[in-house]
Structure formats: C-alpha cells, structure tokens
Amino acid sequence: MMDTGHHDNEIIQSVLRGNQQAYTVLVNRYKNYAFTIALRYAQNREDAEEIAQDAFIKAYRFLNDFKMDQAKFSTWLYTIVTNTGLSFLRKKKQYNDSLDDENVFASADRIDSGMNANLVESKSKVKMVNEAIKLLSPDDANIITLFYQAEQSIEEISQILGTDTSATKVRLHRARTRLKEKMEKHFAAEVKDLYSL
Amino acid sequence: MNNEQHIDEQLWKYIDGFAAAEERTAIEELIRHNLDWKQRYDELLNLQQMLQQYTETEEPSMRFTQNVMDQVAMIKVAKATGAYINKKIIRGLALFFIITIASVMIFNLGHINWSSTGTATGSLDTGLDKVEPGKYLNSTVINIVIMLNVILGLALFDRYLTNKKKKATEL
C-alpha cells in the first residue's frame, strides 16, 4: 500500500476500524528506523529483522492500548523495539557480555583492518561513523540511534528507555564520549582527517 | 567527575541547547577566552556534526513488510487492557472492605464505657483471651513461615544484585 501522507493517528484509526491493510503504511514508514534500532541488539541482520518484525506484530496486536493523545506512534513503536531487543539479548545471554570481551575487540580489529583497505580507495565517513556505533554497547548504540537517526527528543527517549530526562541526558553524554573514544582508538587516522577538515 | 568530564558535560549542554541563558553566556565566555574549552568545543562540535551528517539507517530485506503483514493477517487487534478490568467489581470490593472496617469500628466504639475512669478492668471484651495461639502456631507452621521469609529474602537479594550489576554495566 502506497504511503498517502496521512498522519499516523489517522492510519491507526483506520486499522482499528478493520482496515488491516492500512497497517502496511506504518510498517513501510518506520521499518528502517525499527530495523536500525534492532541492529543495536542483534549480532546479524537476520536476528535484527526478527526483532523488528516481532515489534511491529506486537504493536499491531496492542494497537488499542496506544494512547494517541499522549505520545507519537514512533515513540511507542521504538519502545516496543527496544524492549523486544532487550528480551532477545536476555534470551541469547549476550546482555552480560562486557566491553572487555575479546570477541568484541577482535571484531573491531577486523572492521578496522577492513576499513583501512577501503579507505585507500574512498574515504567513507558514513561507514566509519556507523561502524564505530556498532562497536558500542547495545544501550549506547541505541540512544545514539534514537537521538540522531530516529530524531527523538530527550523526553521521548526517556519514555522509550523508562528513565527520567536527567538520566537520559547523562546516558547520551556518556554514549557520545564512548563513541569518540572508539573512533579515536579504532579509526585514528580517519578521525584525524575529519578533524583537520 | 574530573575537570575534563565536567567541561565536556557543560559543552554538550551548550551544543544540545539545554543550557539556561546564564549558563550559555558563561560557556560562551569560556569558549572565547579559554584555550582548553575552545579546543574541546571544536572537537565535540565536529563529533556532533559527524553524527548528524553521517549516521545512516539500515534497510531490512525487501520481504520485510510482506512478512509482517502475513503474520498480522493471522491475528486480531486485542481489546484495550483497560477493558479487561471491570471497575464496578473493584468499586464493589473497596466498598465491602470500607463497610466491614467501619462496622467493626462503630461496634467497638459503641461498646466503650466512656464514663469509666480508665481502669485496667475497663478493656474491650474482644474474646481474644479465648484464642489459643499455641493451637495454631505449631512447629510446622513456624517452619513454613521461616522458609517463606528465607525465599523472599533471597529473591530480594537477587534483585538487588541484578540492579547493582545493571548499573555497573551502564557506567
């Protein structure tokens, strides 16, 4: 179904009246953001798709509980994606892996060496920033994604993460600090080039 | 929090637009006149611009929407959670407890001898002296109560440790 530009709430009301196909518009509208958030919790694209799909299905099932006058649909959906991602991690028992895990740094080294080779041909700033985000913990990567890509406000992110705005600001600040450290550690030359521009 | 962390926190507040007017003025002054602040500000602003310009969303597979809609076709939208709770039943239960408590209080207040001078014999005849605790509180019951308390205590301790670990990983 084509995205006709209707507001989310209009589409939701249409779905609740029985027009199931209208939900396609919402899925298409938010699937990229939902998938990107899910990728923060999954190790691969297949798992991320599974998380994002589960989230959309849960959102459909509990659409009657969505309070249109209190929040945006995107905020509510990203809350479901985040919680589904966390449940996924708990099931896979990956949540307790610390950042000192050897596998994390091993994969970072592989990314780094791969990046250097690619950057000889073309300086992909986009790839560097996004690869650096992948090196963060799921919680740090998620808050960066919600703030910069999903363009959620601090209040909306607080709702999604279940914290207050002060705690959200602190978490965002720490996530950015860690991201900067990751970039300086694993992509030092590229970061130096960027700072010199 | 060390000095560098403090500077970063203030600068992020400024860059994100969360600083109050007075704070903004103070930070701007520091950026203008303090080399450390100026250098840090430039670095953080660069990072901010990188994050704004170069982060990209990933796209799922072409079949993603179809997969979702295939599953959605098999389920129905559930009733709102509030619809499962019958408020009349909750009001009824509340009324029952209020009436019970009020009746007991009124009954006991009605039987108090207000004209007495507060002697030891002027106690309420509740019949509690006829109750034999020993009949009910035998060793089995006491052991069960202790076990329940131990299990509860362990569950709370586990919850405390989990939260502590969670906070440690967040930091």
Side-chain angles (χ1 to χ4, degrees):
Chain A
M1 190 179 238
M2 294 283 287
D3 192 332
T4 52
H6 286 123
H7 193 271
D8 290 348
N9 290 348
E10 289 174 358
I11 298 168
I12 291 166
Q13 281 166 346
S14 177
V15 173
L16 292 174
R17 281 195 296 269
N19 181 7
Q20 206 176 59
Q21 281 307 306
Y23 194 64
T24 314
V25 176
L26 288 176
V27 177
N28 284 330
R29 202 174 270 181
Y30 294 110
K31 65 180 179 182
N32 290 354
Y33 294 114
F35 180 66
T36 305
I37 292 168
L39 266 176
R40 304 310 178 210
Y41 295 96
Q43 293 292 318
N44 54 62
R45 293 179 63 88
E46 290 74 28
D47 287 342
E49 280 212 15
E50 192 186 318
I51 292 169
Q53 282 175 17
D54 281 350
F56 273 109
I57 292 158
K58 280 179 197 169
Y60 177 83
R61 186 176 285 140
F62 297 108
L63 211 50
N64 262 318
D65 285 333
F66 169 60
K67 294 177 176 57
M68 288 182 229
D69 51 342
Q70 290 180 19
K72 292 187 328 197
F73 175 74
S74 57
T75 307
W76 186 64
L77 175 68
Y78 300 153
T79 309
I80 298 172
V81 177
T82 300
N83 290 335
T84 308
L86 285 169
S87 300
F88 173 85
L89 277 184
R90 278 187 215 114
K91 273 187 213 165
K92 293 269 179 181
K93 291 179 186 173
Q94 287 169 358
Y95 186 77
N96 290 323
D97 287 348
S98 72
L99 293 174
D100 291 330
D101 190 283
E102 284 182 13
N103 288 333
V104 172
F105 287 124
S107 63
D109 288 340
R110 283 196 295 274
I111 290 165
D112 188 19
S113 58
M115 279 293 300
N116 281 333
N118 288 338
L119 282 173
V120 168
E121 297 171 0
S122 64
K123 292 191 181 200
S124 178
K125 302 178 190 82
V126 171
K127 198 165 179 188
M128 179 197 73
V129 171
N130 289 289
E131 292 295 342
I133 291 173
K134 286 176 190 171
L135 295 176
L136 295 172
S137 69
D139 289 339
D140 285 348
N142 188 26
I143 198 167
I144 296 272
T145 303
L146 288 169
F147 191 71
Y148 287 102
Q149 291 164 284
E151 293 177 343
Q152 299 290 293
S153 66
I154 291 292
E155 289 73 24
E156 285 162 349
I157 295 173
S158 303
Q159 277 181 42
I160 291 167
L161 300 179
T163 57
D164 57 42
T165 52
S166 309
T168 301
K169 286 177 191 172
V170 169
R171 283 171 74 163
L172 179 61
H173 164 65
R174 285 180 182 158
R176 287 188 286 210
T177 303
R178 287 178 194 132
L179 178 68
K180 191 165 178 290
E181 286 165 5
K182 290 285 178 201
M183 285 169 67
E184 284 167 357
K185 181 173 180 178
H186 297 285
F187 309 101
E190 296 81 2
V191 167
K192 197 180 163 190
D193 283 339
L194 280 170
Y195 282 161
S196 64
L197 288 174
Chain B
M1 185 192 297
N2 63 34
N3 190 42
E4 218 174 73
Q5 284 175 342
H6 171 73
I7 293 173
D8 281 1
E9 201 183 293
Q10 294 301 305
L11 286 170
W12 275 123
K13 240 175 147 177
Y14 174 74
I15 292 168
D16 288 335
F18 299 142
E22 288 164 2
E23 278 179 309
R24 285 189 71 81
T25 313
I27 292 168
E28 279 164 3
E29 274 298 305
L30 282 162
I31 291 168
R32 260 197 293 270
H33 298 115
N34 186 312
L35 272 175
D36 283 342
W37 278 77
K38 171 89 177 83
Q39 190 181 347
R40 266 335 251 175
Y41 173 70
D42 288 341
E43 284 175 13
L44 296 184
L45 195 61
N46 258 323
L47 178 62
Q48 170 81 339
Q49 285 165 354
M50 267 196 281
L51 286 168
Q52 284 170 336
Q53 287 169 31
Y54 302 130
T55 48
E56 60 178 12
T57 49
E58 303 266 356
E59 284 185 28
S61 65
M62 303 277 279
R63 266 209 63 90
F64 182 89
T65 304
Q66 191 56 48
N67 289 343
V68 170
M69 294 312 291
D70 285 346
Q71 299 208 46
V72 152
M74 295 190 285
I75 59 174
K76 284 185 184 172
V77 179
K79 277 198 300 185
T81 314
Y84 291 106
I85 301 163
N86 190 335
K87 287 190 180 159
K88 285 181 189 169
I89 294 173
I90 293 180
R91 282 195 204 113
L93 282 170
L95 204 60
F96 168 75
F97 281 112
I98 289 167
I99 290 170
T100 308
I101 292 165
S103 307
V104 166
M105 279 182 67
I106 291 166
F107 177 80
N108 284 316
L109 285 170
H111 280 75
I112 289 173
N113 185 356
W114 297 102
S115 60
S116 74
T117 52
T119 59
T121 55
S123 59
L124 291 167
D125 182 18
T126 55
L128 280 175
D129 55 333
K130 294 186 184 82
V131 174
E132 294 168 35
K135 195 177 166 186
Y136 305 104
L137 290 178
N138 55 39
S139 59
T140 308
V141 170
I142 289 171
N143 284 336
I144 289 170
V145 168
I146 290 171
M147 262 172 52
L148 282 171
N149 278 306
V150 167
I151 290 166
L152 262 172
L154 286 170
L156 284 169
F157 187 56
D158 176 67
R159 200 171 167 188
Y160 164 74
L161 287 173
T162 309
N163 285 339
K164 202 175 165 186
K165 200 175 180 183
K166 214 173 172 181
K167 278 181 191 158
T169 51
E170 276 173 16
L171 292 169

